[in-house]
Amino acid sequence: MKAIRKFISGDDAVAEAVRLASPDFIAAYPITPQTVVVERLSEMVEDGSLVSEFMHVESEHSALSACMGASAMGVRTFTATSSQGLLYMAECLPYASGGRFPIVMMNGNRSVALPWSIYGDHRDSLSQLDSGWIQIYVEDAQESLDMTIQAFAIAENAEVLTPVMINLDGFLLTHTYELVEIPEKDIVGSWLAPVDNPYAMNFDNPRNMGFSSQPSDNTEFKYQQHKAVEDSRKIILETEKSFEQIFGRSYGGLAAGFMCDDAEFIIITLGSVTGTCRTVVRELRKEGIKAGLIKIRFMRPFPTDEIIGLTTNAKAIAVLDRDISFGYEGTVFTNVNSALARTHNDILKMNYIAGLGGRDIPKESIREIFKELEEGLTTRPDKAVKFLNLNVETDEKYSDSEDNSTQHHREGVLLWS
Amino acid sequence: MSAVGFIYPQLCFSNNAIISTFPGTASMLSGVAAAAKAKGYKDYHVLGIAGDGGTADIGLQALSGAIDRRDKIIYICYDNEAYMNTGIQKSSLTPFGAKTTTTPPGKNIRGTLTVKKNMFEIIAAHNIDYAATASIGYVQDLINKIQKASLVDGPSYIHVFAPCPTGWGIKTDETFEIAKEVVDSGLWYLAEYENGEFTLNRNPREFTPVENYLKKQSRFRHLLEEDIIEITEARDRKWERMRRQWNKN
């Protein structure tokens, strides 16, 4: 396959993918750290390398509302947002999924105010987990490009017809430059089928859309929507396989395991921190520790069976959450826990809240998590949720065996020698 | 609309139609118009209808954006001067003095304290291709304006005055008469904005009394003499300015 290689950022990679997928309609409203995407797209429209109706909307709410209008007409649509913008368009998210509009949207994962922070975590997208969108999380710029192209194929599949949100960690991914292979437009054009939505507006068979329902039929609409997202698992895997055949890259389905086969201690991640964790797992394996990693790639549909399968030999798992559902636990943890509750009640399950508002998650902290998992098998901590590297005083005890646990939290990192 | 005439499976339009989000009438129209352009359609109109709340309150931002972009849409504001779907709550197009369920007249406050937002001139200030006011009491004028809007290669806006019998406390068969009288009394006006110029389409030599119009509606029944004087004086100031600054035909 012919392709060129370019040193570009995650945002650039998404814009390149959009150029290759060539949507008929793009709604653009800038927000850090997504801005580069809409800047690149407008440059592409200007230089003619992308032919698209490019709309400068006055808000994110209008961005998604306009995408719905265009999608109702049966054309390919794209928009991009982040954080406050995602929340501002929140009303339109279930509207788009309920209307079965196959819109593709990039979200630059960013913390949500207050306090203000332009840096990354997953609270923006995870707060919209129940909005009916398929949610993809990627790890690097190449995966950003590949999955943005695949997102159109998944969303527009006649059996799916559900919007797809592709999530890139703010700055860590959106603004980090990497070498990315960019396929030729013609090849992407022949791989990606044109939109053919049988339910779109047309003059021969006019459609009335966006209607109300009664209690007698609302459940049936919602069931069909649920079923479409459930059944999208098959389409996601088929899409990845067919993409791999042409472009030579695949990423492991809804959840990708790394050294999980005989792993006793497994860390579960979302997004760009996966790379750091993979490095640590490799190091620990050299030291004789049976460590493993699961990278969740789709939060909806949720990879329940994949996670159960990958944790078959696990004694303890840790979910690294770049979010917190206040008063409970990290949302990824809740989902993983729920999946494992069916079969893995006996294993230790810990939840580490980390990387909020762009805080670095160093290798040493990942090593520390693995050490705590091993210790936890004997200490059996009564609390599952722990804030990593917390810098405020806390009287919470995660381990009943250590008198110096408070000190331990404050220092944050306890090296595993 | 979504609550009364668009309930599955009884869908009432024989043409393509969609209900938008409350703030999203104009933005959804913009998306439809852009897709029609992308598809290369030639013979079509993209028309949207929203109420006074959907236009002047929650949908104002999206409408402003659509006009700014010069999207080829026809936007009709159906102004019955309050949130009627939810049961007569004040909007920014509710006139001074009117009783609504959120501006109940009592000993301390006599109904709505604000004056009706000047949407027509707000829209015109965008330098829109075509804008007009109308009333269902002057049907031919309304039809002419919709026809004119349909020929515009850009955004057009028609603000239609439309009484709500339940919300205003009038009989259903008085609707047309009230919609005509509001124009004849000078409390509403028929005008157009095009090519950067305002034109008064109807410039009565003499107005019918404001009091007659107000007294027919239970929403104004609590008003005192001084309130009616205030409403009349505001009307006169507005007409003095319109007659001085606008073209007349």
Side-chain angles (χ1 to χ4, degrees):
Chain A
M1 187 205 68
K2 284 202 286 184
I4 57 158
R5 285 158 81 83
K6 266 190 178 174
F7 194 61
I8 56 175
S9 71
D11 273 351
D12 289 321
V14 170
E16 286 293 341
V18 172
R19 177 180 64 77
L20 298 171
S22 197
D24 307 282
F25 178 78
I26 296 168
Y29 190 81
I31 179 167
T32 304
Q34 155 268 39
T35 318
V36 174
V37 177
V38 294
E39 287 175 348
R40 290 294 169 272
L41 291 174
S42 56
E43 288 162 12
M44 291 167 183
V45 169
E46 191 282 325
D47 70 22
S49 57
L50 171 62
V51 178
S52 182
E53 288 297 319
F54 188 88
M55 185 174 285
H56 302 95
V57 286
E58 86 302 324
S59 73
E60 288 91 351
H61 190 285
S62 286
L64 202 43
S65 175
C67 281
M68 288 193 282
S71 192
M73 293 279 284
V75 305
R76 178 167 294 159
T77 59
F78 175 82
T79 191
T81 191
S82 174
S83 181
Q84 309 297 122
L86 183 72
L87 299 188
Y88 193 57
M89 64 167 64
E91 179 194 18
C92 295
L93 293 172
Y95 212 93
S97 60
R100 307 294 296 275
F101 300 122
I103 298 159
V104 172
M105 175 162 71
M106 172 266 192
N107 180 56
N109 284 120
R110 168 182 147 179
S111 193
V112 293
L114 282 170
W116 283 98
S117 168
I118 59 165
Y119 301 107
D121 63 39
H122 294 142
R123 281 180 295 155
D124 54 357
S125 54
L126 289 178
S127 78
Q128 300 305 312
L129 200 54
D130 295 340
S131 65
W133 286 54
I134 290 171
Q135 283 200 1
I136 304 176
Y137 291 80
V138 294
E139 183 186 339
D140 58 30
Q142 185 70 60
E143 193 181 4
S144 304
L145 180 139
D146 293 344
M147 291 315 294
T148 301
I149 295 170
Q150 289 183 45
F152 287 102
I154 296 164
E156 294 164 3
N157 185 291
E159 290 176 48
V160 180
L161 290 177
T162 294
V164 175
M165 184 190 302
I166 174 158
N167 291 281
L168 280 74
D169 279 318
F171 293 104
L172 285 172
L173 189 41
T174 58
H175 286 61
T176 300
Y177 282 69
E178 298 174 85
L179 202 55
V180 175
E181 190 167 298
I182 303 168
E184 278 197 350
K185 188 161 184 164
D186 288 350
I187 297 171
V188 173
S190 55
W191 178 80
L192 184 61
V195 201
D196 182 21
N197 184 345
Y199 308 106
M201 288 185 180
N202 66 80
F203 290 125
D204 298 329
N205 186 12
R207 302 282 181 190
N208 281 195
M209 307 167 95
F211 46 75
S212 295
S213 66
Q214 294 293 310
S216 54
D217 48 36
N218 186 281
T219 304
E220 284 66 29
F221 281 115
K222 293 295 113 181
Y223 173 75
Q224 291 180 65
Q225 200 183 330
H226 172 63
K227 192 168 186 311
V229 180
E230 279 289 351
D231 293 352
S232 72
R233 297 168 194 279
K234 183 173 67 94
I235 308 298
I236 290 165
L237 297 177
E238 284 172 9
T239 303
E240 179 168 53
K241 201 172 172 189
S242 125
F243 187 89
E244 186 186 12
Q245 280 165 3
I246 304 295
F247 303 98
R249 286 181 298 276
S250 69
Y251 298 91
L254 280 79
F258 178 68
M259 296 190 166
C260 281
D261 287 352
D262 62 342
E264 294 177 346
F265 306 100
I266 293 178
I267 192 163
I268 300 179
T269 60
L270 208 58
S272 62
V273 74
T274 307
T276 315
C277 292
R278 197 179 285 114
T279 304
V280 172
V281 166
R282 271 200 200 98
E283 288 174 8
L284 293 176
R285 282 283 175 170
K286 279 180 192 160
E287 295 162 25
I289 295 154
K290 288 185 173 175
L293 162 72
I294 299 173
K295 166 187 166 186
I296 295 179
R297 302 184 61 241
F298 284 75
M299 275 299 287
R300 288 292 180 273
F302 193 72
T304 308
D305 293 343
E306 288 84 346
I307 291 173
I308 290 173
L310 289 165
T311 52
T312 309
N313 295 309
K315 292 178 178 165
I317 60 130
V319 175
L320 199 57
D321 249 297
R322 294 190 72 190
D323 81 292
I324 173 71
S325 179
F326 305 106
Y328 196 36
E329 56 195 18
T331 297
V332 182
F333 183 64
T334 303
N335 281 265
V336 169
N337 227 351
S338 170
L340 295 182
R342 300 193 206 163
T343 51
H344 291 51
N345 273 325
D346 51 334
I347 70 171
L348 176 69
K349 294 168 224 159
M350 294 290 289
N351 185 201
Y352 290 85
I353 309 301
L356 298 186
R359 182 175 294 184
D360 191 29
I361 307 175
K363 263 171 60 177
E364 292 73 20
S365 299
I366 308 295
R367 291 180 67 91
E368 170 67 7
I369 288 172
F370 276 102
K371 183 167 173 56
E372 288 191 359
L373 284 185
E374 193 176 25
E375 288 170 357
L377 292 181
T378 44
T379 59
R380 288 281 158 180
D382 54 358
K383 277 193 135 175
V385 182
K386 177 174 179 177
F387 280 70
L388 200 67
N389 301 341
L390 192 62
N391 289 320
V392 290
E393 291 281 353
T394 170
D395 58 2
E396 288 186 357
K397 283 196 175 161
Y398 298 97
S399 162
D400 52 13
S401 64
E402 297 244 359
D403 288 330
N404 64 345
S405 60
T406 305
Q407 180 66 21
H408 166 140
H409 292 143
R410 221 179 300 134
E411 287 180 358
V413 175
L414 192 69
L415 288 173
W416 192 3
S417 55
Chain B
M1 192 68 211
S2 58
V4 294
F6 225 75
I7 301 170
Y8 180 85
Q10 292 171 320
L11 304 175
C12 57
F13 287 107
S14 59
N15 55 314
N16 289 295
I18 184 167
I19 303 280
S20 72
T21 58
F22 203 179
T25 304
S27 49
M28 187 168 262
L29 285 178
S30 290
V32 171
K37 198 174 162 197
K39 282 185 158 241
Y41 289 159
K42 299 285 178 236
D43 183 22
Y44 67 93
H45 298 292
V46 181
L47 179 143
I49 303 171
D52 45 286
T55 301
D57 291 344
I58 197 167
L60 182 57
Q61 175 177 307
L63 175 57
S64 178
I67 299 169
D68 171 57
R69 289 187 299 267
R70 294 204 64 239
D71 292 337
K72 192 174 182 304
I73 62 169
I74 303 168
Y75 188 105
I76 293 180
C77 171
Y78 181 96
D79 180 9
N80 56 19
E81 302 198 314
Y83 291 90
M84 296 309 184
N85 210 16
T86 41
I88 326 164
Q89 291 82 31
K90 180 205 178 296
S91 79
S92 63
L93 293 183
T94 302
F96 173 78
K99 168 190 169 182
T100 70
T101 56
T102 49
T103 54
K107 266 182 283 181
N108 302 310
I109 302 173
R110 290 198 296 282
T112 300
L113 298 176
T114 52
V115 298
K116 191 178 178 72
K117 191 187 277 186
N118 190 346
M119 270 306 289
F120 176 56
E121 289 180 62
I122 288 169
I123 296 301
H126 288 72
N127 199 19
I128 191 172
D129 294 53
Y130 179 72
T133 61
S135 167
I136 62 156
Y138 284 89
V139 175
Q140 191 55 52
D141 175 76
L142 171 59
I143 291 169
N144 293 347
K145 286 170 176 171
I146 292 172
Q147 276 173 347
K148 211 161 167 178
S150 74
L151 301 172
V152 173
D153 186 26
S156 54
Y157 173 88
I158 303 175
H159 193 120
V160 184
F161 192 91
C164 172
T166 311
W168 294 13
I170 57 172
K171 289 188 191 124
T172 307
D173 60 9
E174 290 172 335
T175 309
F176 181 82
E177 181 194 327
I178 290 283
K180 189 171 178 303
E181 190 169 358
V182 74
V183 175
D184 297 341
S185 66
L187 290 178
W188 188 240
Y189 54 97
L190 305 181
E192 287 174 299
Y193 175 86
E194 54 188 328
N195 305 318
E197 304 256 343
F198 289 97
T199 301
L200 265 175
N201 304 123
R202 189 174 169 79
N203 185 16
R205 209 172 293 265
E206 219 175 304
F207 294 125
T208 59
V210 161
E211 193 168 0
N212 291 1
Y213 169 76
L214 298 175
K215 289 289 179 187
K216 282 176 187 158
Q217 307 170 48
S218 70
R219 63 174 176 155
F220 292 121
R221 207 151 283 158
H222 58 279
L223 293 185
L224 304 175
E225 185 63 32
E226 64 199 78
D227 299 322
I228 292 168
I229 289 169
E230 191 175 331
I231 292 168
T232 308
E233 285 176 353
R235 174 201 69 183
D236 292 344
R237 281 195 303 275
K238 184 172 177 77
W239 277 89
E240 190 278 322
R241 182 177 64 82
M242 289 193 298
R243 282 167 169 152
R244 179 160 41 83
Q245 294 177 348
W246 295 5
N247 302 325
K248 292 159 279 280
N249 67 1

